[in-house]
Amino acid sequence: MKENNSKKYREKTPKRRKISNIVYLSTVLIAFESIGLALLIFPRSTVSITEKRELKKFPEFTLDSYFSGEFTKGVSEWFSDTVPFRDELTNAATAIGELNGFRVGGIRLHGVESLPTESSDTSTSSSESTSSTESSSSSSSSTSSSSSSSSESTHESTSSSSEQKKDDPNIQDHLNITNNGIAVVGDRALMMYGGSYSVGERYAKVMNKYKQAMPNVNVYSMIIPTSCEFYSPSELNGYHASELDNINHVNSFLQGVIPVDAYSALAAHTSEDIYLRTDHHWAPLGAYYAAQQFAKTAGVPFKDISEYSQEVVHGFVGTMYGYSGDIVLKNNPEDFVYYVPTTVEYTTTYYEYELSGGSIVGARPEFDGKFFVRYSDGSGMAYCTFMGGDSQIVKVKTNAGTGRRLAILKDSYGNALPGYLFGSFDEIIVIDMRYFTHNVVDFLTENGTTDILFANNAFHAATASTVTYYETFLTQKDWGYWQTKKPEADAAQ
């Protein structure tokens, strides 16, 4: 009886297998057909909040672009980049990805293979994990001779890789942050800092050139440390260098340029929310303390934070989630708190550049607008509260009555500073290092500028392209606000 049952079962196996295969193939085909129909039917995504960027646009058709292959290439890139429900699918993939990797003692590293051991050599592990240096983070450190030599080794190895990168005058800050890896410590993301003593020297020298070109103007250097400098646990010592060492090194090469000690101002308040946990920028409160230190250094009045209204964007998840894909950041949003002055009158004028593929192709006529842009709760764009972003020249006129006029030359960290200085200067011009089409000496002289503040984070102060931008501003001819192409002679500089 047993044998008959066994035989009967074996005789049916091929048939069952065939049915199973048919069901499997049908399921796969239906799934692919459904995905294909979804890609065709559902609206294409146009903006990625997770990645903080506009997605590819459908290319313009021309005969030249068609026969050169650029049109079909552009269509392919558009189709791949604008997948329906892009952010939702990314978030789902991130949640699945959390099942892999490692998290030791509440720390997870992205872009590196493992945590360093206690005996790890700082210069070796940092240089091995470095891709280059660009936009935010680092660590506090002692200044002993042994650590100094180790840091210098790290900085120079980082510098060489950084200087090999092609300088791109249209770098978007949020798209080009390179690093030694990202560490998520608890629910805070930290970007590891490499630094470069040699580029720091060049950075100092270009500021000296501004002072030489405009000897009657006060020139200040504020290098802004980033969150990794203050919040990195000892387990991460092998992955980052000292921003303080780099800042001091830059300051030692300044001639006639006045350093602003933002480092000490921030170090005194690390128990407060001076840096964002989920974003590579500092928090507006951190910018307040740095602006206070600058006002003291410049000898201008400064309004207490009690003279500001506190505004909050709840549920903010910033750039570091997009960079790391770490679900812990997604699941632990924060409040983006900023401060709007209430006891000073001011008007804000914009000279906004039009961009195409990151390049300046024109500009809107100047217009008045709001300095502070309100974003809704849950928006990942909250740091754009200040002037809405970077690709513009902004001029703020106030009733401060001090007779002083300030120009801020900055990266995106600098966006959070001007609002605290409306009671300190009669006029503030804000110039981003990536978007400026004039000769800076002529431009600032015509505007009667009395003070220049370089406000860049520690990564940008150790990046070769930053130096190139500021050097070019000094030597470029005014290539016109409405020109669609930068003159070849200037582009070659």
Side-chain angles (χ1 to χ4, degrees):
M1 192 72 177
K2 241 178 186 181
E3 288 182 6
N4 288 340
N5 285 342
S6 179
K7 184 178 180 182
K8 193 173 182 181
Y9 177 78
R10 286 197 300 270
E11 287 175 350
K12 289 186 176 181
T13 298
K15 184 176 180 181
R16 289 178 178 175
R17 184 179 296 126
K18 184 176 181 180
I19 292 171
S20 177
N21 289 341
I22 292 172
V23 171
Y24 174 76
L25 290 172
S26 298
T27 302
V28 172
L29 287 172
I30 290 170
F32 275 103
E33 289 291 336
S34 300
I35 292 171
L37 286 172
L39 291 175
L40 293 172
I41 294 172
F42 288 107
R44 311 294 299 184
S45 301
T46 58
V47 176
S48 172
I49 299 300
T50 299
E51 299 175 41
K52 310 294 186 294
R53 68 180 179 91
E54 291 185 2
L55 302 178
K56 295 279 187 181
K57 290 185 170 63
F58 193 86
E60 182 180 352
F61 176 82
T62 65
L63 288 176
D64 287 342
S65 67
Y66 179 78
F67 287 111
S68 69
E70 287 298 315
F71 176 75
T72 53
K73 178 184 177 184
V75 171
S76 177
E77 291 176 348
W78 166 81
F79 191 80
S80 299
D81 202 40
T82 60
V83 174
F85 309 112
R86 179 188 178 91
D87 282 349
E88 289 79 1
L89 292 172
T90 300
N91 293 339
T94 298
I96 295 171
E98 177 66 10
L99 300 175
N100 299 317
F102 64 92
R103 204 177 288 274
V104 180
I107 301 172
R108 181 167 184 171
L109 283 169
H110 301 268
V112 292
E113 294 180 357
S114 64
L115 285 169
T117 62
E118 289 184 7
S119 61
S120 293
D121 178 74
T122 300
S123 62
T124 302
S125 56
S126 267
S127 61
E128 285 177 351
S129 60
T130 300
S131 52
S132 74
T133 53
E134 269 240 12
S135 207
S136 90
S137 299
S138 210
S139 71
S140 59
S141 71
S142 65
T143 55
S144 66
S145 60
S146 61
S147 66
S148 178
S149 61
S150 175
S151 294
E152 185 163 1
S153 173
T154 303
H155 299 168
E156 295 312 321
S157 65
T158 303
S159 172
S160 62
S161 65
S162 179
E163 291 181 14
Q164 288 170 5
K165 288 181 63 182
K166 179 180 178 182
D167 290 336
D168 178 2
N170 301 301
I171 281 179
Q172 295 284 342
D173 193 38
H174 62 284
L175 296 180
N176 289 270
I177 296 179
T178 52
N179 51 81
N180 295 349
I182 295 172
V184 177
V185 181
D187 58 3
R188 181 188 293 277
L190 305 170
M191 197 169 289
M192 302 294 99
Y193 176 77
S196 170
Y197 278 168
S198 61
V199 177
E201 292 168 17
R202 290 177 54 202
Y203 182 77
K205 289 173 182 177
V206 77
M207 287 186 285
N208 294 342
K209 290 180 181 179
Y210 276 69
K211 180 61 181 177
Q212 292 164 7
M214 294 174 279
N216 297 323
V217 175
N218 303 311
V219 181
Y220 305 88
S221 170
M222 177 193 288
I223 299 179
I224 303 163
T226 58
S227 58
C228 186
E229 182 75 8
F230 301 116
Y231 302 107
S232 291
S234 59
E235 292 91 336
L236 296 176
N237 287 346
Y239 284 104
H240 60 81
S242 167
E243 291 186 5
L244 180 59
D245 287 351
N246 273 263
I247 292 169
N248 289 337
H249 190 72
V250 171
N251 290 346
S252 71
F253 283 84
L254 297 178
Q255 297 178 356
V257 177
I258 304 168
V260 178
D261 188 9
Y263 191 101
S264 295
L266 291 164
H269 296 277
T270 53
S271 62
E272 302 173 42
D273 293 329
I274 58 174
Y275 288 93
L276 297 166
R277 291 186 294 98
T278 66
D279 198 272
H280 71 279
H281 294 102
W282 55 357
L285 183 61
Y288 169 80
Y289 290 122
Q292 184 180 52
Q293 182 63 35
F294 168 61
K296 180 180 179 180
T297 303
V300 292
F302 187 76
K303 292 188 176 295
D304 187 78
I305 202 164
S306 62
E307 298 185 60
Y308 294 77
S309 66
Q310 180 177 291
E311 307 292 334
V312 183
V313 177
H314 299 286
F316 172 69
V317 177
T319 54
M320 295 297 273
Y321 170 58
Y323 297 148
S324 68
D326 197 305
I327 197 66
V328 167
L329 303 179
K330 176 72 173 177
N331 292 339
N332 289 276
E334 58 189 314
D335 285 345
F336 183 87
V337 183
Y338 64 99
Y339 303 86
V340 178
T342 58
T343 59
V344 62
E345 296 177 7
Y346 61 95
T347 59
T348 308
T349 302
Y350 289 87
Y351 305 82
E352 189 174 79
Y353 291 111
E354 293 178 352
L355 306 179
S356 178
S359 298
I360 298 172
V361 296
R364 296 176 60 187
E366 65 180 76
F367 63 95
D368 290 341
K370 295 181 178 180
F371 183 88
F372 298 94
V373 180
R374 173 71 194 186
Y375 286 87
S376 60
D377 288 350
S379 174
M381 305 297 290
Y383 192 80
C384 290
T385 290
F386 313 107
M387 304 173 290
D390 297 313
S391 56
Q392 61 222 344
I393 302 170
V394 180
K395 181 183 290 187
V396 180
K397 292 188 175 182
T398 77
N399 66 343
T402 61
R404 306 273 289 272
R405 294 186 172 194
L406 173 67
I408 301 177
L409 278 65
K410 54 81 183 179
D411 59 21
S412 59
Y413 266 60
N415 292 9
L417 288 169
Y420 299 116
L421 300 170
F422 292 171
S424 307
F425 294 90
D426 296 353
E427 180 179 282
I428 301 174
I429 294 176
V430 185
I431 298 171
D432 189 90
M433 66 179 186
R434 292 147 293 198
Y435 307 103
F436 188 67
T437 60
H438 306 282
N439 178 279
V440 71
V441 177
D442 294 342
F443 185 84
L444 297 183
T445 300
E446 289 171 7
N447 279 278
T449 299
T450 60
D451 300 85
I452 297 173
L453 171 64
F454 285 87
N456 298 278
N457 70 60
F459 269 79
H460 273 138
T463 301
S465 59
T466 303
V467 178
T468 300
Y469 297 137
Y470 289 138
E471 283 181 335
T472 301
F473 291 174
L474 284 168
T475 58
Q476 71 184 2
K477 296 177 182 177
D478 191 330
W479 52 284
Y481 201 69
W482 286 100
Q483 280 186 243
T484 58
K485 186 178 180 182
K486 191 171 183 179
E488 295 300 326
D490 288 338
Q493 290 179 1

